[in-house]
Amino acid sequence: MPSPVPLIPAPSSISALPLFADDLAFLQSHGDVILLESPSGGRVALSARYQGRIMTSAVGSDGLSLGWVHRRFIEAGKTGTAFDNYGGEDRFWLGPEGGQYALYFAPSKPFEFPNWQTPSAFQQGEWATAERSPTRVVFTRSMTVQNYAKTEFKLDVRREVSLLGPKEVAERLGVEPPAAVRSIAFQSDNRITNTGAKDWAEKSGLMSVWILAMFPPADDTFVIVPFDRNGSGPIVNDAYFGKVPPDRLRVDEQAGVIVFKCDGKYRSKIGLRPSRALPVLASYSAQARLLTIVQYDKPKDASRYVNSMWQLQKEPYAGDVVNSYNDGPTEPGKPALGGFFEMESSSPAAMLKPKQTLTHVHRTFHFVGEPALLDAIAKKVLGVEVSKLTLAP
């Protein structure tokens, strides 16, 4: 199990995030890095070596590194661990994690942490770079995976990462950020194609595209998840790794948002099912003056999502659409996976015939500026002013 990596202090007292230039130099010292550059000065660093991940980004070449890079693991040069944790603020995985159709547990193995294993098919090896321009890159990969029920899946993955310009940002979010706010925005368009000879069917298990975004936390970081107040069923699932304590999770039914503490110090996870999930969530740190918004495609009529709970399930297709994970010790006295937090999105379960394709798009918007300006963006996109949110009842 990798040991936690210490965060590199930035020269300013407003945050403990490393500088983008430092993370970029570190990554370049360990392999090729693809750099996308926006006209406004924003930067996005990607790695084909690390499975086409978006490793980190910044609102400018002089800015803070906004993705989480696991330096200690990269320096160790290991592969084939339970989780080859290079970091990255947008990585491609497949779900489900647990259950009778799990991809992360071998058949008959108990759903316990020592048995958890990320499939090598999508965590090892360099991905092919099929296309590349200053603002866009396409990665491809063919793979085979097997689930807990011993069903084998053959698939091709096409992953296109592109920058989003000011016009696209305004169209996607419905708000035009003021000039005083620095920003960077990008998306990953992830497509899986059934290349096998058989249909992917519910009775033998289905998969989903699962995009996980890792970020460096600060002590005051929290994730905000708006939810559908008119939806049915429980608002939030907080039972993944034990119930989340009330000082770390608050459901504000009046405002229609969930506030989840993400300081990288207490292992916990939350999720929302399709009846409650909206296609957006965010994180906020006042000391970093940073608002990060994640937006993803959620098909209007989709209701079948794979269930990743670590148990045999009564409803294997009643899973979550969106999740947030806060890292921390896996067990008392054990190390954390690295000390990060995540915002995650999933596609519906992929019931694909041979040669059929499913697409899932995940977008990231970083805004750095004064709290009042960030509040105006958050109010429009999330329905709340983030600087006024607290975990207190």
Side-chain angles (χ1 to χ4, degrees), residues 62-269:
D62 60 340
L64 299 173
S65 185
L66 302 177
W68 184 76
V69 176
H70 197 176
R71 294 192 178 197
R72 185 170 295 178
F73 189 85
I74 291 173
E75 286 174 334
K78 296 179 180 179
T79 60
T81 68
F83 173 23
D84 287 358
N85 187 6
Y86 304 108
E89 62 174 311
D90 184 317
R91 77 177 184 274
F92 175 93
W93 268 11
L94 295 167
E97 188 172 12
Q100 53 266 50
Y101 304 128
L103 298 176
Y104 298 73
F105 292 88
S108 78
K109 289 287 187 180
F111 299 113
E112 298 171 355
F113 190 77
N115 300 321
W116 179 66
Q117 174 64 58
T118 308
S120 61
F122 51 82
Q123 82 156 353
Q124 292 184 50
E126 182 168 339
W127 287 31
T129 303
E131 301 175 39
R132 181 175 173 179
S133 77
T135 59
R136 172 181 168 272
V137 62
V138 176
F139 301 106
T140 59
R141 182 76 164 183
S142 297
M143 61 182 69
T144 301
V145 295
Q146 178 181 275
N147 69 15
Y148 196 81
K150 299 183 180 181
T151 302
E152 186 177 83
F153 301 88
K154 294 181 181 295
L155 63 150
D156 282 348
V157 181
R158 182 185 186 275
R159 178 167 156 82
E160 178 180 343
V161 177
S162 57
L163 298 182
L164 301 175
K167 183 178 179 181
E168 291 171 294
V169 171
E171 289 176 349
R172 291 294 180 186
L173 297 183
V175 61
E176 188 170 339
V181 172
R182 301 183 73 186
S183 64
I184 181 67
F186 49 89
Q187 71 175 28
S188 66
D189 181 310
N190 305 274
R191 305 182 184 190
I192 58 172
T193 301
N194 179 357
T195 58
K198 297 180 179 179
D199 294 359
W200 295 354
E202 287 189 0
K203 64 181 180 180
S204 53
L206 296 174
M207 301 187 300
S208 68
V209 173
W210 186 11
I211 303 301
L212 303 96
M214 307 174 83
F215 303 102
D219 285 342
D220 70 339
T221 300
F222 53 84
V223 163
I224 310 102
V225 189
F227 62 87
D228 186 347
R229 284 175 284 188
N230 297 317
S232 60
I235 293 173
V236 60
N237 172 13
D238 69 340
Y240 278 93
F241 305 119
K243 190 169 180 60
V244 183
D247 62 341
R248 288 184 164 271
L249 177 66
R250 182 170 70 90
V251 177
D252 188 332
E253 295 193 45
Q254 183 175 357
V257 296
I258 297 161
V259 183
F260 178 46
K261 186 174 180 64
C262 285
D263 57 359
K265 297 177 180 178
Y266 185 91
R267 189 170 187 244
S268 46
K269 183 175 179 177

Side-chain angles (χ1 to χ4, degrees), residues 11 18-21 40-43 58-65 182:
L19 291 172
F20 177 79
S40 64
R43 302 286 190 272
V59 297
S61 59
D62 60 340
L64 299 173
S65 185
R182 301 183 73 186

